[in-house]
Amino acid sequence: MLQRKKQRISRKFTDKSDLFDGLPEDLVISILSKLASSASSPSDFINILVTCKRLNRLALHPLALSKAGSKALAVKARNWCDSAHHFLKHCINAGNVEACYTLGMIQFYCLQNRGSGASLLAKAAIKSHAPALYSLGVIQFNGSGGSKNDKDLRAGVALCARAAFLGHVDALRELGHCLQDGYGVRQHIAEGRRLLIQANARELASSLNALVKRKPQQQHQRRLNYQHYSFKAGSGCPLLSDFGCNVPAPEVHPVNVFLKEWFESGRGALEQGLRLCSHKGCGRPETRAHEFRRCSVCGTVNYCSRGCQALDWKLRHKAECGPIERWLEEGGNGDDGGHGGVGEMEEVVEAEHFAI
């Protein structure tokens, strides 16, 4: 009796068609596209691929891959492999601009394939990808991948201006410092300071918006982390402002996390005499000796950009910096190109005093 009852139940369910198989493909692709754009980690999207054959096929549809966001593409340096490389290429072929930027940065700085990396960054920049425009600006400022003579300050300023117009805060800050210092553009101190204040206002607004969107428990944990950092740093809190606005550090872009992990974990080895940008949220390495500019006071830290220097000064270096004997025989002139030297850190201090 019990066996016949089980058979009737099983027959009842098998007779019905699978509801998922009955869904239109365009609807499933639309849902997968939304998931790819909002995924908080690569696993959120990869888990879909191993669910069933139909989801695997539809998740690799060009429309879904084209929508993958930076967090869905945020592969860890320790997990880098041919499969991750091929997945990013599939996304690029599908028209994903974020994948162009991510793989471009990895190839240029980590895999040392400068030509291909710069080409991918340019491809993303042409499509108005602000981080790609800013990264190309930093490359132009430093002449990265080439010699000191390959620097193009005007091109760097133009790229930063375009990225700043698209809302990139770091590019806006860099442009403000360029105008304030007369670096690659005619000096205009008042306009430079106006742009720095505008960058800080955008930074503060972004931080407040992120805080409002958090759940109460996440906000409480954020405050605890914030207070813990303040106690450890001894300099107030993680400031990312030139003019004294106390705002929590924003999330670092996944590709900058990758660069930092790549070199610090030993996956990629820096040649002798080359160093990483000292700003913890950057991760860019030098491509030749003395490429980055040094702190003019202590000479122990170096930065890929004026913006990174200003951020790191407020974040931690202000509490650590102190005059020492000039780095004597360690290539004393550096590669400042007229933008480093005594004025660099002094200008950061001046900006802070201006705010007070």
Side-chain angles (χ1 to χ4, degrees):
M1 174 73 88
L2 183 61
Q3 187 175 1
R4 286 200 303 271
K5 186 174 181 181
K6 285 183 178 179
Q7 289 177 350
R8 284 199 304 270
I9 293 173
S10 62
R11 195 179 300 114
K12 180 180 179 182
F13 280 99
T14 53
D15 289 344
K16 288 186 177 181
S17 61
D18 192 330
L19 294 179
F20 174 69
D21 288 338
L23 290 176
E25 289 200 350
D26 56 347
L27 176 61
V28 178
I29 291 172
S30 176
I31 294 171
L32 292 173
S33 300
K34 182 66 175 177
L35 173 65
S37 64
S38 61
S40 60
S41 66
S43 61
D44 289 349
F45 187 70
I46 297 300
N47 287 339
I48 295 296
L49 300 179
V50 298
T51 302
C52 67
K53 289 183 178 180
R54 189 187 186 206
L55 278 179
N56 181 283
R57 176 173 60 84
L58 296 180
L60 294 177
H61 190 279
L63 183 59
L65 292 179
S66 68
K67 301 296 184 181
S70 59
K71 291 184 179 180
L73 303 173
V75 60
K76 299 290 184 182
R78 64 177 179 272
N79 298 331
W80 180 255
C81 58
D82 288 340
S83 297
H85 198 164
H86 291 153
F87 178 72
L88 287 175
K89 284 186 174 180
H90 280 310
C91 293
I92 291 170
N93 293 335
N96 190 306
V97 181
E98 188 65 39
C100 276
Y101 172 64
T102 299
L103 187 56
M105 290 287 284
I106 292 172
Q107 288 195 341
F108 188 89
Y109 287 110
C110 300
L111 305 182
Q112 297 187 13
N113 190 345
R114 315 288 189 203
S116 178
S119 176
L120 287 172
L121 289 174
K123 185 177 180 180
I126 289 172
K127 295 182 179 180
S128 298
H129 188 267
L133 285 161
Y134 174 66
S135 294
L136 285 174
V138 172
I139 290 172
Q140 293 293 337
F141 281 134
N142 295 313
S144 300
S147 67
K148 180 179 177 180
N149 295 329
D150 292 320
K151 291 182 178 183
D152 191 337
L153 305 187
R154 288 188 176 183
V157 170
L159 288 163
C160 280
R162 177 61 179 163
F165 175 77
L166 294 172
H168 196 275
V169 176
D170 289 340
L172 185 61
R173 177 177 283 109
E174 188 73 23
L175 184 61
H177 283 297
C178 286
L179 284 166
Q180 197 170 239
D181 302 341
Y183 186 64
V185 67
R186 182 177 295 179
Q187 188 175 33
H188 196 314
I189 295 175
E191 180 65 12
R193 287 179 173 172
R194 186 187 70 80
L195 292 181
L196 290 177
I197 293 173
Q198 187 177 347
N200 296 326
R202 288 187 185 181
E203 190 175 60
L204 181 59
S206 175
S207 178
L208 292 175
N209 287 335
L211 191 62
V212 168
K213 291 178 182 178
R214 295 177 188 274
K215 295 178 181 178
Q217 186 177 359
Q218 291 177 316
Q219 292 181 13
H220 177 66
Q221 185 63 37
R222 176 79 166 186
R223 289 192 207 100
L224 291 178
N225 293 339
Y226 189 64
Q227 292 165 2
H228 173 67
Y229 183 95
S230 303
F231 176 76
K232 283 182 65 178
S235 58
C237 46
L239 308 183
L240 289 185
S241 166
D242 302 294
F243 294 96
C245 292
N246 296 354
V247 296
E251 233 179 315
V252 178
H253 193 285
V255 78
N256 294 102
V257 175
F258 183 97
L259 295 181
K260 191 172 178 61
E261 290 179 352
W262 179 268
F263 293 104
E264 290 186 347
S265 66
R267 284 295 303 267
L270 286 172
E271 295 180 14
Q272 188 175 4
L274 303 185
R275 299 195 293 178
L276 293 177
C277 176
S278 296
H279 176 40
K280 298 301 182 183
C282 179
R284 290 181 177 85
E286 290 182 316
T287 61
R288 66 175 186 279
H290 307 304
E291 176 183 338
F292 294 163
R293 290 150 287 190
R294 299 176 187 256
C295 171
S296 62
V297 178
C298 66
T300 60
V301 293
N302 57 294
Y303 303 100
C304 68
S305 64
R306 188 65 172 77
C308 274
Q309 183 192 29
L311 293 175
D312 193 56
W313 172 254
K314 284 301 231 177
L315 183 63
R316 67 176 185 89
H317 190 56
K318 178 181 178 181
E320 303 171 355
C321 186
I324 62 170
E325 294 294 329
R326 297 295 285 180
W327 2 287
L328 298 181
E329 274 77 43
E330 194 199 351
N333 292 335
D335 190 10
D336 298 321
H339 186 46
V342 177
E344 285 261 334
M345 187 58 74
E346 288 178 353
E347 284 156 6
V348 178
V349 178
E350 180 187 10
E352 181 191 13
H353 289 170
F354 172 76
I356 295 173

